[in-house]
Amino acid sequence: MTISERFTMSHFEPIPTHGVTKYGPNGLFSESSFNDLYVTSEYKKILETAANYSLSKKTWSSYKTAENMLIKCQDETGSNMELPLDQRDVLLFIAWSIKRGIQSRTISSYLSGIRMLHLKQGLNVPILRSDLVKQILEGRVHMDTVQKRQGNKPTRLPVTPTVLKLLKLELKSSTLSKENKRLLWAVITIAFAGGFRIHELLSTMEAKFDPLYTLLGEDIKIKPITHRGEKIETLQIKLKSQKTDRIGVDCIVDVYESNGAFCPVKAFNKWKRTTNQLKNSKPAFREDNGKPLTGKNFNKHLKQLLSNHIDYSMGSITSHSFRAGIATLMGELGYSDDEIKALGRWSSRAFETYLKLPRT
């Protein structure tokens, strides 16, 4: 049965594909990248495959964009951007990117892609981030900050308890089915309480999923514990696709019962009692028609629910706002840096960019 045929079925079942969604043999490297080695095609193919498995498909896609942007820069400036680049070429590319309104973080990503293009062609990588380049990129960061403060660019807003109340009220009055309302509320409360990246919880695609990286029904356990003589329930969620995971080790995240209006355990149990879509070998969070709830569709629901309350041209609430929300709330309540980092599973100072309100 083809994927298109499955879409026409009244009950949708995503296709499992093992180990092909995050990493794969296709990237920027090819056999020609290893021509200078003068080895057989068989060995070149082995090296090509291993090199392409070094980065995720998403990263290779962004590096391919860098290659396309370099070609556009050459066409629009009339300057030869043949590799290897020298510092003049790099500075011209950065100036051209800034003129197009590209932010510092994206330009830096493009430079990483250009570095990989040199490796792909078997060239020695030139100094792409000289002291002067670093200075200019830092200046671009400040320009981005000024524009943001002037209100020229929409900012991502954190999910706060007030936003959670709005979402709950809007869900109650929405035309969604009872099951899908409870599904969305379960994901909302869990994402907030656990500081999750949304694709640690949800599928990236509707038509297929990778059991090696997608959260399945069997990856969520309800476990009662005793704390100071009181019995409470926790959701134990096994993450298989952490952004920072480089060695393939699963991580268990405990999400605790709060018994309040935003209790994630209560919300999950209510959805669980309503649905028959929670299956061990299927994506954990699926809509009433069997389709996995994806991060993209989750964002669509958020925008529909909040469009009467938030001007999205000025600021937006997206799935990543939940991660900013818990960090912001903990900062307001006076929690230490180490405590915030532990809850959000940050290993660096990156959590500071998620603090959207003043700290106590």
Side-chain angles (χ1 to χ4, degrees):
M1 182 179 292
T2 66
I3 292 177
S4 60
E5 287 172 334
R6 284 175 179 258
F7 269 103
T8 64
M9 297 172 63
S10 59
H11 184 74
F12 186 93
E13 285 291 339
I15 302 171
T17 54
H18 289 74
V20 298
T21 57
K22 188 169 185 179
Y23 299 100
N26 299 316
L28 292 183
F29 285 93
S30 63
E31 287 188 37
S32 62
S33 302
F34 305 98
N35 282 342
D36 291 345
L37 296 180
Y38 300 105
V39 296
T40 65
S41 178
E42 178 188 6
Y43 287 112
K44 289 179 184 178
K45 188 64 178 178
I46 291 172
L47 294 172
E48 172 200 343
T49 301
N52 286 331
Y53 263 93
S54 66
L55 297 172
S56 69
K57 291 182 178 181
K58 186 176 181 180
T59 302
W60 282 128
S61 177
S62 69
Y63 285 179
K64 180 64 178 176
T65 301
E67 183 178 27
N68 294 335
M69 295 300 283
L70 196 62
I71 294 172
K72 285 184 180 180
C73 176
Q74 177 175 270
D75 292 342
E76 293 183 12
T77 63
S79 181
N80 184 6
M81 288 292 178
E82 184 178 348
L83 302 183
L85 300 186
D86 57 26
Q87 175 153 289
R88 174 201 170 274
D89 299 328
V90 175
L91 292 174
L92 177 59
F93 177 74
I94 292 173
W96 174 83
S97 299
I98 292 175
K99 182 180 178 182
R100 291 173 64 93
I102 299 173
Q103 295 186 359
S104 176
R105 182 182 299 179
T106 305
I107 296 173
S108 182
S109 175
Y110 288 161
L111 292 180
S112 297
I114 290 171
R115 173 183 176 276
M116 195 59 66
L117 291 175
H118 284 81
L119 293 176
K120 166 195 171 184
Q121 294 189 19
L123 300 172
N124 291 326
V125 180
I127 299 175
L128 298 176
R129 301 176 193 269
S130 65
D131 289 342
L132 179 56
V133 168
K134 291 177 182 176
Q135 200 76 19
I136 292 171
L137 290 179
E138 184 65 23
R140 181 56 175 162
V141 170
H142 297 160
M143 292 167 64
D144 295 339
T145 301
V146 169
Q147 290 178 337
K148 186 180 292 185
R149 288 183 178 275
Q150 290 175 341
N152 295 335
K153 290 186 177 180
T155 58
R156 183 189 292 131
L157 303 172
V159 169
T160 63
T162 300
V163 173
L164 290 176
K165 289 178 183 177
L166 287 174
L167 286 169
K168 192 170 188 178
L169 288 170
E170 291 294 336
L171 274 173
K172 284 183 177 180
S173 61
S174 76
T175 58
L176 295 169
S177 68
K178 179 180 179 180
E179 182 175 336
N180 284 346
K181 288 180 183 181
R182 289 187 172 181
L183 165 67
L184 285 171
W185 184 241
V187 174
I188 285 168
T189 53
I190 293 171
F192 179 78
F196 290 100
R197 302 174 182 91
I198 200 59
H199 287 122
E200 292 174 337
L201 299 176
L202 303 183
S203 301
T204 57
M205 294 176 283
E206 290 183 341
K208 57 185 178 180
F209 69 97
D210 190 338
L212 299 184
Y213 296 101
T214 303
L215 185 75
L216 306 179
E218 64 189 18
D219 298 322
I220 304 178
K221 307 292 185 184
I222 299 177
K223 181 180 178 181
I225 64 172
T226 301
H227 178 67
R228 295 180 180 178
E230 180 184 0
K231 289 186 177 180
I232 62 174
E233 285 189 333
T234 67
L235 292 177
Q236 290 193 337
I237 298 177
K238 182 169 74 173
L239 301 187
K240 299 180 290 189
S241 60
Q242 286 197 99
K243 182 180 179 181
T244 56
D245 177 31
R246 292 291 182 269
I247 56 176
V249 177
D250 295 338
C251 169
I252 302 295
V253 178
D254 290 304
V255 180
Y256 293 90
E257 180 181 19
S258 66
N259 291 320
F262 314 134
C263 177
V265 178
K266 179 181 177 182
F268 178 80
N269 282 332
K270 286 186 72 173
W271 171 66
K272 184 179 178 182
R273 289 193 298 268
T274 307
T275 186
N276 61 1
Q277 299 297 340
L278 187 60
K279 305 289 179 62
N280 283 346
S281 61
K282 301 294 183 182
F285 296 106
R286 296 195 292 160
E287 299 179 54
D288 57 7
N289 60 4
K291 290 185 180 181
L293 178 63
T294 64
K296 181 179 179 180
N297 287 336
F298 182 66
N299 279 329
K300 287 182 179 178
H301 284 300
L302 290 177
K303 190 170 184 178
Q304 290 170 353
L305 293 169
L306 295 172
S307 58
N308 291 331
H309 307 281
I310 294 174
D311 182 354
Y312 270 69
S313 66
M314 300 300 293
S316 63
I317 294 288
T318 68
S319 58
H320 219 53
S321 298
F322 292 89
R323 192 157 168 77
I326 195 64
T328 297
L329 181 60
M330 292 182 72
E332 282 190 298
L333 294 174
Y335 283 85
S336 70
D337 289 358
D338 288 341
E339 289 169 323
I340 298 174
K341 287 169 66 177
L343 188 141
R345 306 176 303 286
W346 283 286
S347 59
S348 68
R349 305 295 301 180
F351 78 94
E352 292 178 341
T353 64
Y354 291 81
L355 300 175
K356 304 294 185 180
L357 298 174
R359 293 189 65 178
T360 299

